Amino acid sequence: MEFVIWALVALFVLFTTLGVIVTLKTARAVRRGVERTSAQVRRTVEDTALKARTAQPGPLGEAARIRLELRTSLESTRVALTAGASDDPSLREAAVLLDQLQGHARQLDGELRLLMEREPDRDRVAARLPDARERASVLRKSADSLRFAAQDRARHWDEDGLAALRDQIEIESGALRGYREPPLPSAAGGQPAALHRPASEPAPPRLEEPHWPEPENSGSPASPEQHWSDAPTLPGVDRDGGPQNDR
């Protein structure tokens, strides 16, 4: 009885622990999803506000254009690298470099945002724009370089895969058409070797089998077998080898 009670207690503790673990993982996943969604919503709102402020003349509109162009370049590069990073380790390494590049871009974006929102002196904003424009240009060129390299790499992989697939299809097509051509007989299978001889090689001369003359049949009954001793003898010579006497 005590064993059953301890087994039930152990099962209760096990299921309780598993429930707590599952609940914590679910809560973390939900929190990450909410944070990701909030970041996307905030990013969408900021991009919309920047697009609206790019039409504003003066240094504020210029600062908004710099921020929007930098964000667009980095986001496009992120999408290009993420698309093939799961199958290509080189793209994963490039994504790490993009993270570092995005850190510098985030710092520049924060400086421009403070100038747009907290700096009342428009002349000071205009004086800071050339340096910000130069830094943004360097960041955009670096991001574009990574994006263009990822696109060229994806196109190269697609061309190699297509070429290999084309060769495989040609081989399979040839195998499927093989039923139209009769198989060539092999010389080892008893077929004449002339079928395997090249057209430029002349055929060997044909040797005729020797022909022995058939013995003449005189009409008299003969024995089933013909022996050389039964052949007609020469005149004056007996069958036994002695000379024949004249009668």
Side-chain angles (χ1 to χ4, degrees):
M1 188 65 181
E2 294 181 357
F3 176 77
V4 175
I5 295 175
W6 283 108
L8 293 176
V9 172
L11 290 175
F12 175 77
V13 173
L14 178 61
F15 284 117
T16 303
T17 305
L18 291 176
V20 171
I21 293 174
V22 171
T23 302
L24 290 177
K25 289 186 176 181
T26 304
R28 291 176 182 176
V30 171
R31 184 172 66 252
R32 286 195 299 269
V34 171
E35 291 177 354
R36 189 181 304 110
T37 303
S38 301
Q40 292 177 354
V41 171
R42 184 170 61 253
R43 179 65 179 271
T44 303
V45 172
E46 290 180 357
D47 291 345
T48 304
L50 285 176
K51 290 180 181 178
R53 300 193 70 172
T54 53
Q56 183 178 356
L60 294 181
E62 181 66 19
R65 283 190 291 272
I66 293 174
R67 292 179 61 190
L68 185 60
E69 292 174 357
L70 184 58
R71 287 189 175 195
T72 303
S73 177
L74 290 173
E75 185 65 23
S76 301
T77 304
R78 174 70 63 183
V79 172
L81 295 180
T82 306
S86 59
D87 300 328
D88 192 352
S90 298
L91 293 181
R92 289 196 292 268
E93 296 177 0
V96 175
L97 296 177
L98 182 63
D99 291 338
Q100 300 177 6
L101 191 66
Q102 196 163 11
H104 294 280
R106 193 178 298 110
Q107 181 180 358
L108 178 59
D109 185 80
E111 294 177 5
L112 292 174
R113 181 174 59 82
L114 289 177
L115 288 176
M116 293 175 60
E117 297 178 358
R118 303 299 175 87
E119 181 56 50
D121 189 357
R122 297 293 182 265
D123 294 336
R124 180 172 177 80
V125 176
R128 296 285 300 275
L129 286 180
D131 179 69
R133 191 182 301 109
E134 182 67 23
R135 291 166 58 188
S137 177
V138 173
L139 292 172
R140 285 199 313 271
K141 289 180 180 179
S142 299
D144 293 344
S145 178
L146 287 176
R147 184 173 68 256
F148 297 157
Q151 293 172 354
D152 293 341
R153 186 176 183 85
R155 183 182 62 185
H156 178 68
W157 275 24
D158 184 67
E159 291 177 354
D160 292 347
L162 182 58
L165 180 59
R166 181 184 58 195
D167 295 340
Q168 186 176 0
I169 289 175
E170 290 297 331
I171 295 174
E172 187 65 24
S173 300
L176 292 176
R177 295 190 186 97
Y179 73 94
R180 297 182 179 178
E181 301 176 359
L184 294 177
S186 61
Q191 298 294 334
L195 295 177
H196 300 275
R197 186 181 302 109
S200 60
E201 183 180 352
R206 182 177 179 181
L207 301 178
E208 297 182 356
E209 297 180 356
H211 177 71
W212 298 99
E214 297 291 337
E216 296 180 359
N217 189 3
S218 59
S220 60
S223 60
E225 295 183 358
Q226 181 71 25
H227 298 279
W228 290 107
S229 59
D230 297 334
T233 57
L234 296 176
V237 179
D238 192 4
R239 290 178 180 271
D240 297 333
Q244 185 177 3
N245 297 324
D246 292 337
R247 293 182 183 176

